[in-house]
Amino acid sequence: MIHLRNFNEGDIEVLKRMSPSKTENEILTMLKEWDSLEFNGKYSEKLAVCDEDTVVGCIFLYQHNDYIISAGPEIFEEYRCKGYAYEAMKQAYDYAKKSGYKIATAQIRKNNIASIRLHEKLGFILDCEMLNKRGSEVFIYIKLL
């Protein structure tokens, strides 16, 4: 059964896999930062995506304003194409809706077909195309929660 949970000190090996250049102390510091539920003065949360007791990836929630939020999944390569990202996104957005968010948004590189399909399957609609801060061509997708 797929579920989301907070990362903890028992996940150090998984987190080393996600950030191989970080030391154990740097990872512990990172966990403390995540526990603050804040990034740049806004709500943010990084959650483990689990199938039973196995961490298969993570999902990052980030507040844009009082009613708009985005979520970004990262599923480890060997667990991809098994529905984990879809289920994690559904759960993350249900959680966000219960927390009072009204709109979900996603910025997706135009060449990221898998992410486009995932978001469309979740009910997102294409709002516009633009160049992001890094100069990449992206689509902006939105969805009412």
Side-chain angles (χ1 to χ4, degrees), residues 113-131:
I113 303 305
S115 186
I116 290 167
R117 287 187 181 142
L118 170 63
H119 284 81
E120 289 176 348
K121 183 177 178 181
L122 287 161
F124 281 75
I125 58 170
L126 179 62
D127 181 45
C128 65
E129 300 178 31
M130 61 181 271
L131 286 178

Side-chain angles (χ1 to χ4, degrees), residues 33-101:
E33 290 171 3
W34 291 351
D35 285 344
S36 75
L37 302 180
E38 186 179 306
F39 181 74
N40 289 337
K42 295 185 179 181
Y43 163 75
S44 71
E45 193 165 2
K46 192 149 193 169
L47 300 165
V49 177
C50 302
D51 185 350
E52 301 294 332
D53 293 331
T54 303
V55 177
V56 299
C58 65
I59 192 161
F60 180 68
L61 289 166
Y62 181 74
Q63 173 190 41
H64 295 270
N65 61 37
D66 290 342
Y67 59 92
I68 299 176
I69 196 161
S70 61
E74 179 185 342
I75 303 300
F76 301 137
E77 193 166 342
E78 67 268 29
Y79 299 110
R80 292 181 185 162
C81 299
K82 296 180 180 181
Y84 291 122
Y86 176 77
E87 187 60 35
M89 294 281 280
K90 274 184 23 181
Q91 290 183 29
Y93 282 127
D94 285 346
Y95 175 66
K97 183 177 181 177
K98 288 175 187 169
S99 298
Y101 294 95

